Amino acid sequence: QPARYRWLKDQLGFDPGRLVEHACPALQEWLADIDPGSMTLSFPAAYLNNPSSMFGHTLVRIDPPRRPADARLISYTIHFAADHQGEEGIVFAAKGLAGGYRGYFSLLPYYEKVSQYSDIENRDIWEYELTFAPEEIRRLLENLWELNQQPIDYYFFTTNCSYVLLSLINVARPTLQLTRRLPFYAVPIDTVRVLTDEPGLVRMAVFRPSARTRIGHLQAAMSPAHRRLALDLNDGALSPDAPALGELAAQERARVLELAESVLRYRRDTGALS
């Protein structure tokens, strides 16, 4: 357990010659696969169809150095959630409030979560790139290695994804003492607020709109007649080579086709396409 060894060494000042640190090949291989260079807090907005996400959610994405922004969907993401075994509604709320579930960390490709949150659940996502150095992120990951698959009692308003992930982020730079700034409860927006209120901790913010938001933006930028053309295309009532489309200017035709394709993709991803 390298993280625990180094912490004890710092706290107790023992002689490393008498208590030698041993390398962990499995940990080194795991860290090399993740290749930490930068860290981003991801905040998917609220999803009212699921009680566990009605206040939003938080994730931590780890990006390798020099990975371009358009390739970060394949980066790893740290996720913490309750294992509710499919229980929903009143049962989930009651057990979540009383600590009836166990929460677990998981490490998943970011594109899986974006597909779930943005494309299927239609949740806008805000991303906040943080200014932690690679060695600080490595400290966080070494602690996550020790926590992996270890259950944590999950409480809906206190020991939830917001509090636990903020505690993990604090491991990267313990002097921040981030969790002390939370009230007696914690919701995902509190995590965002704590991090953005810390001077110099957020390098940049990126907005990743959901499919529904993108469709709304496209619709707002065109006339009702052009929106009707796009919907007719989507429903199969109009052919892509119909004269009504051929008469449009190239840019207008492109917008109509883009809206039709976006609506079709949205219907497919949400299961509305029969």
Side-chain angles (χ1 to χ4, degrees), residues 1-269:
Q1 307 292 351
R4 193 173 309 180
Y5 173 89
R6 279 194 275 277
W7 184 83
L8 289 171
K9 180 180 176 182
D10 291 340
Q11 296 297 314
L12 302 177
F14 56 73
D15 181 3
R18 300 180 64 186
L19 188 59
V20 180
E21 180 177 2
H22 295 278
C24 178
L27 171 59
Q28 297 309 315
E29 182 179 351
W30 184 71
L31 289 171
D33 185 39
I34 298 174
D35 190 16
S38 62
M39 183 165 68
T40 295
L41 177 80
S42 179
F43 171 60
Y47 181 57
L48 298 182
N49 287 350
N50 187 336
S52 65
S53 299
M54 62 187 300
F55 296 107
H57 192 50
T58 50
L59 312 161
V60 173
R61 192 184 73 224
I62 308 296
D63 294 309
R66 297 175 298 280
R67 172 162 288 176
D70 58 358
R72 291 177 179 174
L73 285 174
I74 62 175
S75 296
Y76 284 108
T77 302
I78 302 169
H79 177 249
F80 178 81
D83 180 15
H84 56 78
Q85 300 178 342
E87 295 177 334
E88 298 178 354
I90 298 298
V91 173
F92 174 84
K95 294 180 70 172
L97 290 170
Y101 295 117
R102 300 294 178 266
Y104 294 88
F105 285 104
S106 59
L107 202 65
L108 302 168
Y110 190 50
Y111 67 81
E112 290 188 11
K113 306 310 294 182
V114 169
S115 176
Q116 174 189 349
Y117 293 139
S118 181
D119 298 337
I120 298 176
E121 296 181 359
N122 291 296
R123 299 163 68 176
D124 295 328
I125 300 175
W126 285 264
E127 300 171 352
Y128 301 88
E129 184 176 343
L130 307 175
T131 57
F132 290 107
E135 58 270 18
E136 293 177 312
I137 304 172
R138 183 185 177 91
R139 183 187 302 122
L140 178 152
L141 290 172
E142 288 178 347
N143 278 268
L144 179 64
W145 172 266
E146 297 190 19
L147 292 169
N148 189 32
Q149 299 305 313
Q150 297 300 313
I152 298 174
D153 290 340
Y154 182 94
Y155 289 86
F156 191 69
F157 284 114
T158 52
T159 315
N160 52 25
C161 70
S162 303
Y163 183 86
V164 172
L165 280 180
L166 195 61
S167 300
L168 186 65
I169 292 172
N170 204 109
V171 169
R173 193 181 300 167
T175 56
L176 291 174
Q177 298 183 335
L178 298 173
T179 54
R180 292 189 177 184
R181 309 181 193 186
L182 292 174
F184 61 89
Y185 63 89
V187 294
I189 193 62
D190 290 327
T191 304
V192 175
R193 186 178 297 111
V194 167
L195 294 176
T196 55
D197 284 348
E198 177 65 28
L201 191 57
V202 175
R203 179 178 289 117
M204 62 178 295
V206 174
F207 176 61
R208 189 183 293 273
S210 68
R212 180 181 294 173
T213 298
R214 292 193 299 270
I215 289 172
H217 179 75
L218 289 171
Q219 289 179 324
M222 63 178 62
S223 67
H226 290 174
R227 289 199 295 269
R228 185 69 262 167
L229 288 175
L231 293 177
D232 287 343
L233 270 172
N234 182 264
D235 293 334
L238 188 68
S239 171
D241 58 359
L245 286 174
E247 296 171 358
L248 298 177
Q251 187 176 30
E252 293 174 338
R253 185 166 60 253
R255 288 175 178 171
V256 170
L257 292 173
E258 183 181 5
L259 176 58
E261 189 274 339
S262 297
V263 173
L264 183 64
R265 184 187 297 271
Y266 168 78
R267 292 176 63 195
R268 181 200 66 190
D269 290 342

